[in-house]
Amino acid sequence: MKLLKKNVIWGAAILLVPFLISAFANRPSEVEDLSDLRKRYSSGNTALWPRPNIDPSVSKGFVDIGLLPQVDYPAENPYSKEKSLLGKLLFFDPRLSASKQISCANCHDPQLGFGDGKSLAHGHGRREGKRNAMTLYNVAFYKSFMWDGRAKSLEDQVLLPTQDLVEMNTPLDTLVAHVREVAGYTAYFEKTFGDKKITLMRIQQALATFERGIVSYPTKFDRFVSGQSDALNDTELTGLHLFRTKARCINCHNTPLFSDNLFHNDGQTLYGTRQEDFGHYKLTGDQKDIGAFRTPSLRNVSLTGPWMHHGNFPTLRDVVELYNLGNPAPIQRHVEVDEKTRPIHSPLLKKLNLTPGEVESVIAFLQAISSPTQRRIAMPELPQ
């Protein structure tokens, strides 16, 4: 009986051999596919990369991801070492605020990804703001500033939080007066601008110059597309490919900044809730801009949580899963909707059907476009 069973088992195995050989012979080799992708992507030549999965509305003027260029300083505010140093002092100086207790660094801490690690920023009198403190990493490459784009230059932007009642709560004339009160600043302004005058414009220019220099360190992705073909592991490489294809991230997070510098409603208006925020609409009055916010850069994204303008997502997985589901219920059923203010969600928002493994790969790639360490900027000794 035992001999009969052995013969049956061996016979079945022999019959299966041709089938197994055929199955494996016809199955695409994942190793070979990844090997090809590794060669093409690490070349750094986007012409050799697989075609990105982008919508027709995105194709005009599309620029693929890649290496950041050098920072371009505006002609009306050129770079100087002295101006950047002065801007650094002002950035860390709490005496710019009404209470003389809150500096720019309170909400943009270098050790917290130039954010503050909170869902919503806190300012004057510990008041809670309406939005998350956006990181200052790579702000030199933005075309507009603040989540809603209401500032058109960094020079303009630096004045908004200082005046905001919830943030630094400082009228502009008070801001200038506070700086003038510090005798030690006179020498810094003279060395930077050629004379001892302390003006609002000079304060703006110095702060903006310092902030333009806050550029993230090179990442594993940067080394990879520069020719170091082993800089990304297989999971990260798969994530890169998904980022540009099935996951559709490339539709908004393109260019070397990983941001298209445009405004999109991705279903996070939080319509009818305590955190309702119409975003870019406040500037344009156009219904299509209700709930639209500027696409944030994904460079250093793993260092700058919590995420979204409302800071409600504590992990990158939350963010990826939101887009994977296509944000199926952006307005709660019990909310009464005014059709004039109904958010019009971006047509780029689609269900992705990523598998759990693909979600993991996308997250791995997001970590690979983040620097392994924060920029270390020591608190300077402030003038007295």
Side-chain angles (χ1 to χ4, degrees):
M1 181 62 73
K2 290 183 179 180
L3 183 60
L4 178 61
K5 286 183 178 180
K6 287 184 179 180
N7 289 338
V8 170
I9 292 171
W10 278 107
I14 291 171
L15 290 173
L16 282 172
V17 168
F19 170 78
L20 293 171
I21 291 174
S22 174
F24 279 96
N26 295 326
R27 188 183 70 176
S29 169
E30 295 180 3
V31 175
E32 290 178 358
D33 290 345
L34 282 177
S35 177
D36 179 59
L37 290 176
R38 186 174 297 280
K39 181 178 180 181
R40 294 165 71 179
Y41 279 120
S42 66
S43 71
N45 183 355
T46 56
L48 300 179
W49 292 6
R51 182 177 299 178
N53 179 13
I54 55 175
D55 284 15
S57 62
V58 177
S59 60
K60 184 178 180 181
F62 172 80
V63 177
D64 217 323
I65 55 179
L67 301 174
L68 280 175
Q70 293 294 313
V71 173
D72 186 19
Y73 289 82
E76 61 273 17
N77 188 18
Y79 173 82
S80 75
K81 183 178 179 180
E82 293 77 15
K83 195 187 299 179
S84 181
L85 173 58
L86 174 58
K88 178 180 179 180
L89 295 172
L90 294 167
F91 184 86
F92 283 95
D93 198 332
R95 292 170 293 187
L96 270 63
S97 66
S99 65
K100 297 187 177 181
Q101 295 180 354
I102 302 172
S103 71
C104 304
N106 277 65
C107 287
H108 301 287
D109 188 332
Q111 296 186 62
L112 296 172
F114 282 93
D116 63 4
K118 303 182 181 74
S119 294
L120 301 175
H122 291 76
H124 183 77
R126 293 300 297 166
R127 296 176 190 170
E128 186 176 70
K130 191 175 182 180
R131 294 174 182 161
N132 175 265
M134 181 179 282
T135 176
L136 294 183
Y137 273 124
N138 305 310
V139 290
F141 302 100
Y142 284 127
K143 296 178 181 178
S144 64
F145 303 86
M146 313 296 280
W147 279 103
D148 55 16
R150 65 185 184 274
K152 298 305 177 186
S153 71
L154 268 177
E155 286 75 9
D156 291 338
Q157 183 276 328
V158 297
L159 297 183
L160 297 179
T162 56
Q163 298 176 85
D164 193 293
L165 298 179
V166 179
E167 297 185 57
M168 297 174 75
N169 191 33
T170 317
L172 296 181
D173 56 348
T174 303
L175 169 67
V176 176
H178 282 190
V179 177
R180 287 175 178 169
E181 288 173 1
V182 182
Y185 268 122
T186 303
Y188 284 99
F189 275 84
E190 183 175 21
K191 190 172 184 179
T192 300
F193 296 104
D195 60 58
K196 298 179 180 180
K197 291 180 182 178
I198 297 176
T199 67
L200 180 62
M201 179 174 289
R202 288 179 173 183
I203 292 171
Q204 290 175 262
Q205 290 179 333
L207 280 167
T209 299
F210 170 70
E211 291 184 6
R212 284 193 178 94
I214 303 174
V215 178
S216 57
Y217 293 135
T219 65
K220 294 173 71 174
F221 165 79
D222 294 321
R223 298 198 302 273
F224 180 73
V225 297
S226 296
Q228 186 180 332
S229 60
D230 61 351
L232 295 183
N233 62 35
D234 288 351
T235 303
E236 294 161 343
L237 174 58
T238 300
L240 162 60
H241 186 57
L242 289 166
F243 185 95
R244 297 182 67 257
T245 54
K246 183 179 178 181
R248 295 174 47 81
C249 313
I250 195 74
N251 277 274
C252 296
H253 295 283
N254 46 56
T255 79
L257 182 60
F258 284 79
S259 167
D260 60 6
N261 264 304
L262 300 176
F263 298 85
H264 303 280
N265 179 350
D266 61 358
Q268 293 298 296
T269 310
L270 303 183
Y271 191 92
T273 72
R274 182 177 61 85
Q275 285 189 284
E276 177 183 275
D277 194 335
F278 280 12
H280 196 51
Y281 170 80
K282 297 295 185 180
L283 279 74
T284 68
D286 192 328
Q287 186 175 6
K288 70 177 178 60
D289 290 325
I290 293 175
F293 295 90
R294 180 168 52 76
T295 306
S297 170
L298 293 183
R299 283 186 171 273
N300 271 8
V301 66
S302 70
L303 306 178
T304 57
W307 293 273
M308 299 295 200
H309 71 272
H310 46 58
N312 285 344
F313 292 156
T315 71
L316 284 176
R317 182 179 302 281
D318 296 321
V319 179
V320 176
E321 290 290 7
L322 170 80
Y323 291 115
N324 191 27
L325 295 172
N327 199 4
I331 299 179
Q332 299 299 312
R333 293 180 181 178
H334 69 274
V335 174
E336 185 176 343
V337 178
D338 180 352
E339 291 302 320
K340 293 181 180 179
T341 59
R342 177 186 285 275
I344 301 173
H345 304 133
S346 170
L348 300 176
L349 195 67
K350 299 177 182 179
K351 192 170 183 178
L352 303 176
N353 297 309
L354 297 176
T355 67
E358 289 172 335
V359 169
E360 293 290 347
S361 293
V362 172
I363 294 172
F365 176 64
L366 294 177
Q367 293 168 337
I369 55 177
S370 299
S371 305
T373 57
Q374 304 275 17
R375 285 197 58 152
R376 298 184 66 85
I377 296 181
M379 171 74 179
E381 183 176 347
L382 299 177
Q384 300 300 317

